[in-house]
Each structure stands twice: as C-alpha cells, then as structure tokens.
Amino acid sequence: QVQLQESGPGLVRPSETLSLTCTVSRGSISGFFWSWIRQPPGKGLEWIGYIHYTGSTSYNPSLKSRATISVDTSRDHFSLRLSSLTAADTAVYYCTRLNRTGGYHRFDSWGQGALVTVSS
Amino acid sequence: DIQMTQSPSSLSASVGDRVTVTCQATQDISTYLNWFQQKPGKAPKLLIYDASNLEIGVPSRFSGSGSGTDFTFTISSLQPEDIATYYCQQYNHLPITFGPGTKVDIK
C-alpha cells in the first residue's frame, strides 16, 4: 500500500510563501495524479490542485494563481508552493494520490496531514 | 463551480440503526461522486466512488446511490466505530468540490 508523508514548516508569516513536500513510499509516483487538499481548523475540505507525474497541472481558481504544484519523479515526491499567505490559509494540508484508473477519480491514499499556521 | 450540499449537518443515532445522508449538487454530475469518512484528527478515507462502488476493504454496511444531482449515503447498521464526519465530493467538473460534511454520533 502506497504511503504519503507531508513535510514542511508548521508556522509561516503572513505575506510569505509556504512550501510543502509530499514523499511517496511503497510505490512509484509514475503513472498517477497527485493532489493537495486542505482543511481549515474545524471546517470542511478544499481541493487545491493536482499534478500528473508528467507535470501537467490543474488548480482551484479560488486560490487566484497563488498555488504551484511540482513533481520530482527521480525522488518520488511532489510539492506545493502557496504564495502571499494570510491567516485564512491556516489549515491542515493533505497530500493525496488521485487514482484515475478506469475513468474514476479516487483520492485513495492520503498523508497524515500537516498543520500550517500563518501568523506573525 | 458546482456547489455540494449535505443534509443533515449532524445526526445522532443508536447502534444498529440505519443512517442516511443526502448530498445534492447544483448541476448534473452523472455518477461522478465520492463519499469519505473522516475521524477526528485523521485524514479522510475513501468509502464509496462513482456514487455506488464500495472501495476495497470497506465494510458492506456502507453503500451509496444516486445520479444526476441527488445522492444518498447509507450505513445499514450503525457501529460505534462509524462515529465520524462524512463528506461527499464531485469530480464531474473542475474545480473538484466537497460537501460541507455530516457529523454522525451515537445517541
């Protein structure tokens, strides 16, 4: 069973850029889509975007082009950069595998989540 | 964007009860709908994909149905370990969107 693990800072200052990495183990990053989803404390889930292992991406327009997702197949990891942070970006950030086998879209594997707090 | 609504927002039921959650989309999404279970402090877990397909390893007391704009998620016999928040999620149109969640607990 593929495993995902987020890493990055737990505290970031307003107006700065967040960088998170998701390391994929017990499986290869090749052949799949990979996604970031976030959840503000006590609230619901928001899809940020996804990337195919070949590098093609799609993002949620609600983030107003602040998000960038990249992939490094040689290291089996993918990353999220989110710029111009405000307190509203405080959330648990999850990396997930988006399995599109058979034409379905299954977020079938998730990291444990990384809490990111935006505060000065 | 396609907006997803869920009802009820929370419910309490007894062990062994049948529990039903509904999810409605603002546009036709065919059967492109997933259901997730999230326990406190944990990542969401995929239970149902394509509206009615049970994910591998998920107990058969969970089921889903529906198409178009109206969907139903059912727990046929509520168990103590089913205490969680349940989310629907559509993938027919980008951006992918989630419902606000339904919190289920034991009466």
Side-chain angles (χ1 to χ4, degrees):
Chain A
Q1 174 78 352
V2 67
Q3 292 188 341
L4 291 79
Q5 177 67 58
E6 304 89 351
S7 58
L11 178 65
V12 190
R13 298 189 186 284
S15 80
E16 293 189 344
T17 296
L18 168 66
S19 293
L20 290 173
T21 294
C22 182
T23 301
V24 178
S25 59
R26 297 190 180 184
S28 174
I29 208 163
S30 295
F32 291 96
F33 288 80
W34 305 89
S35 187
W36 290 94
I37 291 169
R38 69 180 182 178
Q39 184 172 38
K43 295 188 178 180
L45 299 160
E46 180 182 31
W47 174 70
I48 296 171
Y50 64 60
I51 189 165
H52 190 238
Y53 76 101
T54 57
S56 62
T57 54
S58 181
Y59 299 101
N60 194 328
S62 69
L63 293 167
K64 297 181 171 61
S65 302
R66 295 190 297 125
T68 302
I69 300 175
S70 57
V71 65
D72 185 340
T73 54
S74 66
R75 296 184 178 182
D76 278 329
H77 75 221
F78 63 105
S79 300
L80 169 69
R81 286 175 57 86
L82 186 63
S83 62
S84 304
L85 293 173
T86 70
D89 295 310
T90 294
V92 175
Y93 285 76
Y94 294 103
C95 61
T96 79
R97 187 174 75 175
L98 176 56
N99 189 336
R100 292 177 56 170
T101 303
Y104 308 117
H105 285 51
R106 295 163 47 229
F107 291 112
D108 65 351
S109 296
W110 295 64
Q112 64 185 24
L115 175 61
V116 175
T117 301
V118 181
S119 175
S120 55
Chain B
D1 297 4
I2 294 179
Q3 307 302 317
M4 308 299 293
T5 59
Q6 289 182 233
S7 63
S9 57
S10 66
L11 66 88
S12 292
S14 300
V15 172
D17 281 355
R18 184 180 186 88
V19 168
T20 298
V21 177
T22 63
C23 175
Q24 190 167 53
T26 53
Q27 297 178 41
D28 187 337
I29 59 170
S30 185
T31 57
Y32 297 137
L33 183 104
N34 297 328
W35 287 97
F36 293 87
Q37 175 193 66
Q38 186 178 32
K39 297 183 179 181
K42 300 294 187 182
K45 174 185 176 183
L46 179 65
L47 300 181
I48 303 284
Y49 65 95
D50 196 42
S52 61
N53 293 294
L54 198 65
E55 181 73 355
I56 294 172
V58 173
S60 60
R61 64 180 180 274
F62 297 102
S63 65
S65 65
S67 66
T69 60
D70 296 299
F71 301 86
T72 301
F73 171 79
T74 300
I75 307 173
S76 60
S77 177
L78 186 67
Q79 300 301 304
E81 60 267 32
D82 300 336
I83 300 314
T85 299
Y86 293 85
Y87 294 93
C88 60
Q89 170 249 316
Q90 70 81 25
Y91 57 90
N92 192 47
H93 296 287
L94 293 177
I96 292 167
T97 49
F98 291 84
T102 295
K103 188 174 183 180
V104 174
D105 63 27
I106 298 289
K107 192 181 295 183

